[in-house]
């Protein structure tokens, strides 16, 4: 079990664009497992490779409370979106901040699993929200990008305060 270091906003490395994975080998499988361990330890329900300073298109998700359904998505692509839903979101890279974001209510995602097999998954509710949030990380997008400038500046101030308290 290996824990990876999670980058925190406003670290500019969170804004880098992730590359598709060309070959799924042992190192990719190990990375995905380490990402799951890191996500469970945090604890969180999703983690994208750019959050652990790896610019590859890999995300991991488990929305169950007993860690019983770890999902690994490599080179994920949303191929269908339906409806819209508001949900409160947080992010392991933006600790202690929770805000409402509007996203598609249901999605279909196409991806490779950890063995390189092409899969499609239809997701709704929390899982759909989580997949969309994590896929955004692959293009350097954060959930606070959906908020108003005023809200973002309040969040930045709150984060600066948290940092000064930690020192
Ligand atoms: Zn996030």
């Amino acid at each position: 079990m290996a824990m990876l270091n999670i980058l925190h906003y406003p670290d500019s490395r969170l804004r880098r664009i992730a590359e598709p994975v060309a070959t799924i080998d042992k190192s990719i499988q190990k990375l995905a497992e380490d990402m799951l361990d890191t996500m469970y330890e945090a604890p969180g329900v999703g983690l994208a490779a750019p959050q652990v300073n790896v610019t590859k298109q890999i995300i991991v998700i488990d929305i169950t409370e007993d860690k019983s359904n770890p999902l690994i998505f490599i080179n994920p692509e949303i191929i269908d979106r339906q409806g819209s839903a508001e949900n409160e979101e947080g992010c392991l890279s933006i600790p202690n901040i929770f805000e409402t974001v509007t996203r598609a209510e249901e999605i279909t995602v196409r991806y490779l699993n950890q063995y390189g097999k092409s899969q499609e998954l239809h997701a709704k509710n929390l899982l759909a929200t989580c997949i969309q949030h994590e896929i955004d990380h692959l293009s350097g997008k954060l959930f606070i990008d959906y908020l108003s400038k005023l809200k973002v500046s309040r969040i930045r101030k709150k984060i600066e305060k948290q940092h000064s308290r930690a020192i």
Side-chain angles (χ1 to χ4, degrees), residues 48-79:
Q51 292 180 274
V52 292
N53 201 19
V54 176
T55 49
K56 286 183 174 21
Q57 291 182 8
I58 305 173
I59 66 175
V60 298
I61 290 174
D62 190 344
I63 59 164
T64 66
E65 275 176 20
D66 57 357
K67 308 180 182 179
S68 60
N69 191 24
L71 298 168
I72 296 168
F73 301 83
I74 299 170
N75 302 345
E77 186 190 355
I78 294 171
I79 56 171

Side-chain angles (χ1 to χ4, degrees), residues 7-117:
L7 301 178
H8 286 159
Y9 175 82
D11 194 314
S12 61
R13 289 173 291 181
L14 288 167
R15 298 301 189 177
R16 295 188 299 185
I17 310 291
E19 301 281 337
V21 175
T23 313
I24 296 172
D25 54 17
K26 282 224 163 72
S27 73
I28 295 292
Q29 289 162 348
K30 166 92 168 60
L31 172 64
E33 275 163 31
D34 289 346
M35 283 172 62
L36 278 168
D37 290 340
T38 304
M39 177 191 80
Y40 286 134
E41 185 68 21
V45 294
L47 188 69
Q51 292 180 274
V52 292
N53 201 19
V54 176
T55 49
K56 286 183 174 21
Q57 291 182 8
I58 305 173
I59 66 175
V60 298
I61 290 174
D62 190 344
I63 59 164
T64 66
E65 275 176 20
D66 57 357
K67 308 180 182 179
S68 60
N69 191 24
L71 298 168
I72 296 168
F73 301 83
I74 299 170
N75 302 345
E77 186 190 355
I78 294 171
I79 56 171
D80 190 41
R81 289 181 165 80
Q82 280 177 2
S84 81
E86 286 190 344
N87 282 295
E88 189 168 78
E89 296 187 24
C91 180
L92 291 177
S93 292
I94 316 175
N96 306 317
I97 305 288
F98 298 91
E99 294 287 346
T100 301
V101 177
T102 305
R103 298 186 189 270
E105 189 174 20
E106 297 188 28
I107 57 159
T108 304
V109 60
R110 184 182 292 156
Y111 62 101
L112 301 175
N113 69 11
Q114 66 266 49
Y115 310 108
K117 196 172 170 231

Side-chain angles (χ1 to χ4, degrees), residues 46 51 90-93 133-134 137 142-143:
Q51 292 180 274
C91 180
L92 291 177
S93 292
H133 174 119
E134 300 309 331
H137 277 297
L142 303 172
F143 82 98

